[in-house]
Every structure is written in C-alpha cells, then in structure tokens.
Amino acid sequence: MDRYQLFQQFVAFTTAVHEVKHGMTKDLRGHDLTAVQYNIMEYIAVSQPVTLSGISDCMHLSMPNASREMRKLLNKGLCTKDTAVEDRRVQYIRLSPQGQALMDAAFQRVEQRFQEHISHLSEHELKAVHDALQLLQTKVFRP
C-alpha cells in the first residue's frame, strides 16, 4: 500500500466531507446565529458537556474568541455553564432546553437531507456505506 497515495485519498475524502456537511447545514442557523456559533452549538450537541478550552481546540478558535462567542450563546439563552464539582476552575457547557430544541430541529432537517442524499442507494450499498463509516470511525477517526 502506497501510504502517500492513501494520505492524498484521506485529504480528498475529508474535504468532500466538509463540502457535503456545509451543503446540508448552510441554511439551518436560527436565532441570528453566525456560522461559528452554529458550529459551536453543533459541537456541544454531540459532545456535551464540553469546556471552553475544548471548544477553542475543536473549533480552531483562540480562547478570547471562543469566550466571546460563548458569551453570545449564553446571552441568547442557548447554552448553560456549570462549575465542575471536582475542580471549581473548570466550567462545563451544555445546551439549554432552548438550545437543545434548536439543535434537535436542525438535526432533523440534516437527517432529511441525508436521507435524500442516499435515497438512490440499494440495501447492499447502504450496508457497505455503514461498514465503511464504522471502519473509518474505529480505525482512522478514533479519539
């Protein structure tokens, strides 16, 4: 196996993933959310509870920018912040009920678009996609 060629395929694949994700989510923002704020909300939705430093790292934001965007989301009532019992310096961020409802609605629309995107696949192809995604998740994209 040519590992350089595999890397090139990986780069092309991740680029395509970002393009498809952008196409499926580009018009989902509500509550006057910016694209950055929506992405933060999406990250919190799938990873909560999170920390500000986790948001900063994952979203490629400086800590001051992550803090500013988080303050805006807190002011909109879309997130909550709780101090960790085990370390009072750490604050855990979660979606508020309003934020969870917003993301649930967004994910429902993304699922509809995803189902349309794969509607032409046969059962055999769906199984192959499932297996491929599972393999990628366990062998390439594991945390």
Side-chain angles (χ1 to χ4, degrees):
M1 168 63 56
D2 182 342
R3 289 179 181 261
Y4 178 76
Q5 188 176 28
L6 181 61
F7 172 71
Q8 294 300 318
Q9 188 177 9
F10 171 77
V11 170
F13 174 77
T14 56
T15 299
V17 167
H18 288 291
E19 289 173 355
V20 169
K21 179 186 178 274
H22 175 73
M24 289 186 178
T25 62
K26 67 182 174 185
D27 62 346
L28 296 182
R29 300 189 310 257
H31 293 275
D32 300 319
L33 292 178
T34 65
V36 170
Q37 291 167 353
Y38 174 83
N39 287 335
I40 290 171
M41 294 282 294
E42 189 177 74
Y43 171 67
I44 296 169
V46 299
S47 302
Q48 60 188 328
V50 299
T51 61
L52 188 60
S53 62
I55 292 169
S56 173
D57 289 344
C58 185
M59 310 275 47
H60 306 286
L61 296 171
S62 68
M63 280 297 282
N65 285 343
S67 182
R68 182 176 50 252
E69 296 301 331
M70 182 48 48
R71 192 171 32 255
K72 291 175 185 176
L73 293 171
L74 289 165
N75 289 340
K76 291 177 183 188
L78 299 174
C79 296
T80 63
K81 204 171 7 172
D82 299 307
T83 301
V85 174
E86 68 276 6
D87 185 347
R88 296 190 52 78
R89 296 170 295 174
V90 176
Q91 293 189 316
Y92 290 121
I93 300 162
R94 293 177 175 81
L95 296 178
S96 68
Q98 181 183 358
Q100 187 65 56
L102 176 81
M103 294 312 297
D104 287 348
F107 286 153
Q108 284 178 345
R109 289 185 299 235
V110 171
E111 182 181 2
Q112 288 171 340
R113 292 171 183 176
F114 176 75
Q115 295 298 342
E116 291 169 10
H117 197 72
I118 63 169
S119 64
H120 67 283
L121 298 179
S122 69
E123 283 300 316
H124 176 65
E125 290 169 322
L126 289 171
K127 173 79 168 103
V129 169
H130 172 269
D131 293 346
L133 288 172
Q134 205 165 29
L135 183 65
L136 285 169
Q137 190 168 10
T138 58
K139 301 298 182 184
V140 178
F141 295 108
R142 65 178 172 236

